[in-house]
Amino acid sequence: MRVILRKAAFYLLTAWAAISLNFVIPRIMPGNPADNLINQFHGKLSPQAVHALRVLFGQSGQNLWQQYIGYWHSIFTGDFGISYAYYPSSVSSVLGQSMFWTLILVTVSTVLGFVLGTALGMLAGWKRGSWLDSTLVPVTTFLSSIPYFWFAIIVVYLFAITLKWFPLSGGYAVDQTIGLNAGFIESAVNYAILPAATITAASVGGWLIGMRNMMVTTLSEDYVRLAEAKGLPKRRVMYSYAARNAMLPSLSGFAMSLGFVVGGSIVTEVVFNYPGIGSVLFKAAQAADYPLMSAIFLLITVLVLLANLAADIAYVFLDPRTRES
Amino acid sequence: MAVHAALAEPEAAADPAQGAARLWRRLLRSPLTVTGLVITLAFLVLAVLAPWISPYDPSAVSDTTLAGPSGAHWLGTTQNGQDVLSQMLYGARASMAVGFGAAVLTTALSVLVGVTAGYLGGIGDEVLSLLANVFLVLPSLPLTIILAAYLPHSGSLGIILVITVTSWAWGARVLRAQTLSLRKRDFVEAARATGEPTWRIIVRDILPNQVAVIAASFLSTVTFAILTQASLAFLGLADVTQWSWGTILYWAQTGSALLTGAWWWFVPAGLAIAVVGTALALVNFGIDEFINPRLRQAGIGTKKAQRAQVTARRRPRVRKGAPAVRRPAAAPFTQDSTDVILDVRHLKVDYVGDGGGRTPAVDDVSFTLRRGEVLGIAGESGSGKSTLAYAITRLHKPPAEISHGEIHYTRPDGSTVDVLGLDDAELRDFRWEELSIVFQSAMHALNPVLRIGAQIEDVIVAHRPRMTAQERAARVVELLGIVGIPADRADSYPHELSGGMRQRAMIAVGLALDPEIIVMDEPTTALDVVIQRQIVEKIMELKDRLGFSVVFITHDLSLLIELSDTIAVMYGGRIVEQAAAEDFYRRPQHPYSRGLLASFPTLGGPRRELTGIPGSPPDLRRLPAGCAFAPRCPAAFDACTTRVPQLVPVPAPGGGTAQAACLLHEPGAPNGLTGEQSQSTDELATGEAR
């Protein structure tokens, strides 16, 4: 329990750092994003919108400390101002609509990628030097060196354009209305298959190689040798002795890998024109929509931190040594 | 394992200044790594030469729009008729520049932070580590995007800086951990003691030892930076008028290359990124295997590993099937017993090197273990005693290989088993049912994530499938009781037990199926003297009560003399002397045994001078011709350097059973070491010190 509390405190600290970074960056960067945006709209912005921009980017005539307090206030009230890429929607409502698409897509494909990669890595490590190992490792190395978005382009080209097995882009068929009805869900699943498969395939490699190397290292531990000496069935040695221990570092390295996978997934969405955060980010970047970009950065950071906390809790359950008080 | 460690040691503890040179040699030996290096270099050369070898100006528009690959345009053209090949070549410049530029800066920052934090320690370390951990969990791509977005039209330099800020943490963390462990190593302590300035210690002693880690971190940053740059350019966050592989993809996406089917427009750029990434990863595999030599070993599950285990000729085994006969009630063992339970003949175990060279770790070892006997095997580390223990149970792993010899086990009912001829399933039955092992360090030999009870129970589940859960639980409690562990400890994890308790738990695991033989590989070495005593007494008590036979391996000769019936001394992979413990103690027949006995005090018995043995154990890879002990032997003569002595019976006045492998026992040897003269050579061995 204490371990989890300490981890939670660390993630809180990290969240604070990220949020503060988001406050500091626009203020130390050259140029003046707020003025750029206000000029772009040629005075068509409402006074509230102008005020929100000033709060976000400074130059509101207040000193830095007051600005910082105001900034935190808008964070807690969820008031990130107006989106310029989706004018006149507010940033919160744009994110509210796109968030769940990304959340479901990325969660499902990350979990799939992790499970598949860890399972295959376990086998490859167990059979180090076999044909399985010597095929899987180069293939997945190549797969994981491919930029996610390019992989997505190839997948779209092959399966959506050439073979026409799956829809080309979007999140659901236009003749469906969003809601919990069979037609929409079926269509959403159909549209999600290609992006999910892309992210899963692209992320499998990293997990696989990490797990495989840990597995090989673990196999020379004394406890694995003892398990063999005990005449246990191979499965028991592989699962309960080798893999169970080998996957612990994989899980504690989850943080770093997750950031990478999420980053890749976001860019992947752009290729599929998927109605999630990635596509929104792309549009925001095109329109220099700073409020939207900052909010997306914060949202992703917080979600990644939560996922990390979940991984840490799982770790505590899997490794009795951390349960010690 | 000990021998293997001894063999691997010189590689790990070599002169620190040669780290880079050794890394290069290692890398250039692996074909995959060389392939990776060649590909990377090829791309670098293309990037440098781009302005001279590009057929067209990458930005020049022409009338041949969206043309497929042809003689004029090898990689086709874009929507505006630009030449894709020229764009690729120019693009390589920007992508490689960002990749390597960011890697140089990132690595420099990682080294600076990591080494500083690790070397200085204290509050500075805490702060820097916390900072690194925070940056490690911040998702880097969104952060990069934010940073890049605020740098309007950021060129390559801007991107490099942004990537540096977001990716230094991983390398810093790894290097900090390495520095921490290096700082405690002898050569660094020594440098500090001589008052060398800190920066010199870091540059001369610490950094050269981190070459491999720094290189690995550098290469993965190159890949990461190329990928990140491509993502940013693809999102339109980099300068889209400067050609890079990412920019090509950006224009392909905005130009709807997908919908028009212009695959030549978007395939080459992504492929190039993937190929460079794969090439760098291949080099990194080589570095990983250099850092972690365990990765070079073959896995357990492969056929190759199974086959490699025994290359000695196999004999048709004796078919088992006779009903199990309980062994006779524990009768005290006597030296004249002929009831052999384990018969090892001419066993040879080699370590097969990368180049096919063979290093014998156990050479021509023969011995018998009789029912109820405690056979003690003594030897310095690197003498082959642990390898022997593993080979008996066929637990040795590649590169170790049994190349010669026979091992026969006799059941209580009299049927004989050829251990080297057992197939997988039979071997699994043989292990633990007939023979179990107690490992050197219970700390490492017990699975840290399973409860003690479960680690005893799974043996029973595997070998006694008909037992019910209640019966198994009762047996676990019974076993814990036998070794003196309270029953409620069955639910404890290994880390929750004390060292002595863990070793008892190990013994309980070893007793689970009531085996005939227990091999104990230094079972008490890791414990303090008091606990050591308790464990040894427990083992002897259990042996008398349960009647199993023991092979006890240790370097602690005094312990061995006390508890063994028979003692075998190993040196350089061979048994050099074997005798009843009593005879051995009174009349050691081999100069090495004599040296060993002279290197420690015994409780009781006559006082004698402690002399020790000059020199150090032999390097198994470069064993001297003739007797391995000759270079250290005070009684060596000419023949010792040319002939390998065989283990032969040595007549003793009391009718002892000693065997020794020493040329001094041959007729005609100078100072012939026959039994009657042993007194005089005793003086010879100790005389040197006077």
Side-chain angles (χ1 to χ4, degrees):
Chain A
M1 208 52 223
R2 270 189 45 209
V3 184
I4 294 178
L5 281 180
R6 270 187 46 203
K7 282 283 179 187
F10 168 71
Y11 290 127
L12 271 181
L13 176 81
T14 309
W16 169 81
I19 293 170
S20 302
L21 213 56
N22 189 46
F23 173 80
V24 172
I25 290 168
R27 284 170 176 77
I28 56 170
M29 284 293 180
N32 187 340
D35 285 350
N36 288 347
L37 274 178
I38 292 165
N39 293 340
Q40 238 177 23
F41 279 80
H42 304 296
K44 275 182 274 181
L45 290 179
S46 64
Q48 291 114 298
V50 172
H51 175 72
L53 264 185
R54 297 272 182 223
V55 169
L56 206 55
F57 299 109
Q59 299 106 26
S60 58
Q62 296 169 304
N63 68 29
L64 261 184
W65 180 247
Q66 283 166 324
Q67 287 179 34
Y68 191 56
I69 302 288
Y71 169 77
W72 270 101
H73 183 258
S74 39
I75 296 277
F76 276 114
T77 51
D79 173 18
F80 297 96
I82 301 291
S83 157
Y84 299 92
Y86 295 85
Y87 193 79
S89 304
S90 74
V91 168
S92 324
S93 72
V94 171
L95 288 187
Q97 281 161 17
S98 54
M99 192 169 90
F100 292 101
W101 291 98
T102 301
L103 214 53
I104 293 174
L105 177 70
V106 175
T107 309
V108 168
S109 27
T110 307
V111 168
L112 264 180
F114 179 77
V115 170
L116 261 175
T118 307
L120 290 174
M122 175 186 78
L123 280 178
W126 179 255
K127 294 175 178 269
R128 154 100 163 92
S130 69
W131 65 268
L132 181 81
D133 181 42
S134 35
T135 328
L136 271 182
V137 171
V139 167
T140 49
T141 307
F142 182 73
L143 276 183
S144 59
S145 308
I146 294 175
Y148 281 41
F149 63 90
W150 183 74
F151 193 47
I153 292 175
I154 300 296
V155 165
V156 168
Y157 182 68
L158 286 181
F159 296 101
I161 293 178
T162 312
L163 297 170
K164 297 192 190 326
W165 288 355
F166 295 97
L168 180 62
S169 72
Y172 57 98
V174 277
D175 54 0
Q176 302 290 338
T177 43
I178 298 184
L180 280 178
N181 54 71
F184 168 72
I185 292 175
E186 196 194 318
S187 146
V189 167
N190 193 27
Y191 273 77
I193 290 178
L194 270 195
T198 305
I199 299 170
T200 308
S203 60
V204 141
W207 303 118
L208 190 151
I209 288 164
M211 178 65 182
R212 177 225 175 238
N213 283 355
M214 269 323 294
M215 190 77 179
V216 172
T217 309
T218 309
L219 287 183
S220 50
E221 292 288 346
D222 272 355
Y223 50 77
V224 175
R225 201 187 272 241
L226 177 65
E228 274 189 279
K230 289 201 288 193
L232 299 182
K234 283 203 165 143
R235 281 159 174 275
R236 172 93 182 155
V237 181
M238 180 164 80
Y239 292 121
S240 305
Y241 285 76
R244 198 59 174 63
N245 283 288
M247 72 177 296
L248 292 176
S250 198
L251 204 58
S252 65
F254 193 73
M256 216 175 59
S257 320
L258 187 66
F260 191 74
V261 172
V262 169
S265 316
I266 288 169
V267 191
T268 308
E269 282 187 5
V270 176
V271 177
F272 290 97
N273 207 2
Y274 202 72
I277 290 180
S279 302
V280 172
L281 181 66
F282 180 65
K283 227 175 149 182
Q286 302 295 311
D289 184 349
Y290 296 108
L292 191 51
M293 279 194 277
S294 316
I296 289 175
F297 165 64
L298 291 182
L299 180 69
I300 294 174
T301 305
V302 168
L303 290 179
V304 165
L305 293 184
L306 284 177
N308 273 317
L309 189 61
D312 283 333
I313 292 173
Y315 190 92
V316 171
F317 276 101
L318 286 175
D319 188 349
R321 281 164 295 187
T322 56
R323 262 175 262 161
E324 236 177 342
S325 55
Chain B
M1 207 57 220
V3 169
H4 190 211
L7 288 174
E9 218 164 52
E11 203 173 29
D15 181 6
Q18 304 210 321
R22 277 188 308 126
L23 177 60
W24 269 116
R25 276 202 303 276
R26 173 92 228 159
L27 290 186
L28 291 179
R29 244 187 289 158
S30 151
L32 276 183
T33 316
V34 173
T35 314
L37 279 173
V38 168
I39 294 175
T40 312
L41 282 178
F43 272 93
L44 276 174
V45 169
L46 286 180
V48 171
L49 295 181
W52 294 281
I53 57 174
S54 291
Y56 300 91
D57 176 349
S59 307
V61 294
S62 74
D63 293 334
T64 40
T65 57
L66 280 185
S70 65
H73 299 279
W74 288 3
L75 293 179
T77 60
T78 71
Q79 208 178 17
N80 299 325
Q82 295 156 327
D83 182 52
V84 176
L85 177 63
S86 305
Q87 291 184 350
M88 283 294 298
L89 288 169
Y90 272 90
R93 281 171 91 80
S95 292
M96 298 303 258
V98 168
F100 282 87
V104 168
L105 272 187
T106 304
T107 309
L109 191 61
S110 299
V111 170
L112 190 70
V113 174
V115 173
T116 313
Y119 195 83
L120 297 184
I123 188 87
D125 177 29
E126 301 254 328
V127 172
L128 287 174
S129 302
L130 186 65
L131 197 64
N133 285 338
V134 165
F135 269 89
L136 214 49
V137 294
L138 281 183
S140 61
L141 192 79
L143 181 59
T144 313
I145 289 172
I146 293 290
L147 287 168
Y150 283 116
L151 282 174
H153 302 296
S154 38
S156 294
L157 186 65
I159 304 266
I160 288 176
L161 289 176
V162 167
I163 292 173
T164 306
V165 168
T166 54
S167 61
W168 60 274
W170 181 79
R173 190 159 86 159
V174 175
L175 285 168
R176 171 188 169 268
Q178 268 240 322
T179 310
L180 268 181
S181 74
L182 280 172
R183 199 164 62 118
K184 296 190 193 96
R185 296 267 281 274
D186 290 346
F187 59 91
V188 177
E189 293 283 3
R192 277 211 295 208
T194 56
E196 260 193 75
T198 306
W199 65 267
R200 265 184 70 132
I201 299 178
I202 289 178
V203 171
R204 287 196 31 201
D205 298 326
I206 303 236
L207 285 182
N209 275 294
Q210 298 181 323
V211 170
V213 178
I214 294 174
S217 153
F218 178 85
L219 293 180
S220 38
T221 314
V222 173
T223 313
F224 176 77
I226 291 178
L227 281 175
T228 308
Q229 193 273 344
S231 299
L232 288 177
F234 179 70
L235 289 176
L237 287 168
D239 182 356
V240 291
T241 58
Q242 184 193 28
W243 290 108
S244 73
W245 293 335
T247 322
I248 296 174
L249 292 170
Y250 170 80
W251 288 113
Q253 173 80 358
T254 48
S256 302
L258 258 180
L259 294 175
T260 51
W263 55 268
W264 56 87
W265 193 356
F266 57 81
V267 166
L271 212 53
I273 296 173
V275 168
V276 172
T278 310
L280 291 168
L282 288 179
V283 182
N284 249 351
F285 282 159
I287 298 178
D288 276 350
E289 294 193 346
F290 174 82
I291 299 173
N292 181 0
R294 283 177 176 187
L295 291 179
R296 296 203 288 268
Q297 293 163 4
I300 293 178
T302 54
K303 293 234 168 58
K304 197 174 148 207
Q306 302 290 341
R307 266 203 312 273
Q309 255 215 338
V310 180
T311 54
R313 134 200 87 93
R314 294 183 190 179
R315 283 207 185 154
R317 333 162 252 106
V318 177
R319 193 65 229 169
K320 65 169 183 178
V325 176
R326 290 302 314 158
R327 61 169 164 257
F333 170 79
T334 51
Q335 276 299 341
D336 50 8
S337 160
T338 53
D339 187 6
V340 172
I341 183 165
L342 189 70
D343 187 5
V344 175
R345 280 196 210 143
H346 307 295
L347 191 67
K348 184 163 191 249
V349 183
D350 288 327
Y351 282 95
V352 183
D354 286 346
R358 287 171 167 268
T359 305
V362 170
D363 200 356
D364 197 15
V365 165
S366 303
F367 65 85
T368 56
L369 175 72
R370 290 161 289 184
R371 220 167 287 277
E373 183 178 12
V374 177
L375 171 69
I377 297 181
E380 293 166 283
S381 51
S383 61
K385 55 190 195 308
S386 287
T387 307
L388 177 62
Y390 290 133
I392 295 173
T393 44
R394 284 179 49 188
L395 276 173
H396 59 287
K397 295 271 174 58
E401 197 179 289
I402 296 181
S403 51
H404 188 79
E406 289 168 32
I407 301 174
H408 290 279
Y409 165 77
T410 307
R411 289 205 174 76
D413 64 9
S415 61
T416 309
V417 178
D418 174 9
V419 176
L420 296 186
L422 296 176
D423 66 27
D424 267 11
E426 293 164 331
L427 186 61
R428 264 201 301 279
D429 284 343
F430 173 73
R431 286 174 178 168
W432 234 252
E433 191 79 67
E434 318 282 358
L435 183 151
S436 69
I437 301 195
V438 173
F439 280 63
Q440 185 169 120
S441 160
M443 181 73 190
H444 296 120
L446 291 172
N447 186 346
V449 300
L450 284 186
R451 296 174 201 279
I452 296 293
Q455 299 193 45
I456 300 177
E457 202 181 340
D458 63 7
V459 187
I460 307 174
V461 173
H463 293 271
R464 307 263 194 277
R466 275 194 224 117
M467 264 174 100
T468 63
Q470 284 97 329
E471 287 170 331
R472 288 198 303 263
R475 176 68 176 151
V476 168
V477 170
E478 181 191 351
L479 283 165
L480 290 177
I482 289 177
V483 295
I485 296 179
D488 59 335
R489 285 302 202 159
D491 284 336
S492 298
Y493 288 99
H495 73 274
E496 294 168 335
L497 302 180
S498 67
M501 194 98 93
R502 267 198 295 266
Q503 200 64 50
R504 286 159 193 266
M506 266 301 314
I507 294 172
V509 174
L511 292 172
L513 300 178
D514 207 1
E516 297 295 325
I517 305 172
I518 302 186
V519 176
M520 306 211 176
D521 182 18
E522 309 229 12
T524 58
T525 307
L527 304 170
D528 67 63
V529 186
V530 178
I531 307 291
Q532 218 175 59
R533 171 85 7 217
Q534 286 176 7
I535 298 281
V536 167
E537 274 165 11
K538 182 56 87 179
I539 292 171
M540 297 318 284
E541 174 208 319
L542 291 172
K543 185 202 81 102
D544 290 341
R545 198 163 100 208
L546 304 173
F548 49 80
S549 317
V550 177
V551 177
F552 198 102
I553 295 171
T554 182
H555 61 265
D556 186 346
L557 201 52
S558 58
L559 180 70
L560 218 48
I561 289 169
E562 189 187 330
L563 61 82
S564 308
D565 298 310
T566 308
I567 285 180
V569 176
M570 288 191 74
Y571 188 84
R574 288 169 177 268
I575 292 183
V576 294
E577 175 161 2
Q578 187 174 338
E582 180 75 11
D583 293 340
F584 177 80
Y585 178 63
R586 298 204 183 285
R587 287 179 300 276
Q589 301 292 350
H590 194 281
Y592 176 61
S593 314
R594 205 159 293 171
L596 280 180
L597 282 167
S599 10
F600 66 91
T602 38
L603 297 173
R607 285 169 63 103
R608 48 175 161 191
E609 193 151 342
L610 298 181
T611 53
I613 307 168
S616 52
D619 179 349
L620 290 174
R621 286 172 297 188
R622 282 179 282 276
L623 279 180
C627 175
F629 186 60
R632 299 168 75 187
C633 182
F637 58 101
D638 290 350
C640 294
T641 55
T642 52
R643 272 175 51 209
V644 179
Q646 299 301 312
L647 197 62
V648 289
V650 177
T657 53
Q659 290 178 292
C662 180
L663 296 181
L664 289 172
H665 291 291
E666 291 195 349
N671 285 326
L673 263 185
T674 49
E676 299 86 68
Q677 289 167 304
S678 71
Q679 191 52 39
S680 65
T681 42
D682 210 307
E683 274 161 25
L684 186 144
T686 47
E688 198 198 46
R690 288 195 191 121

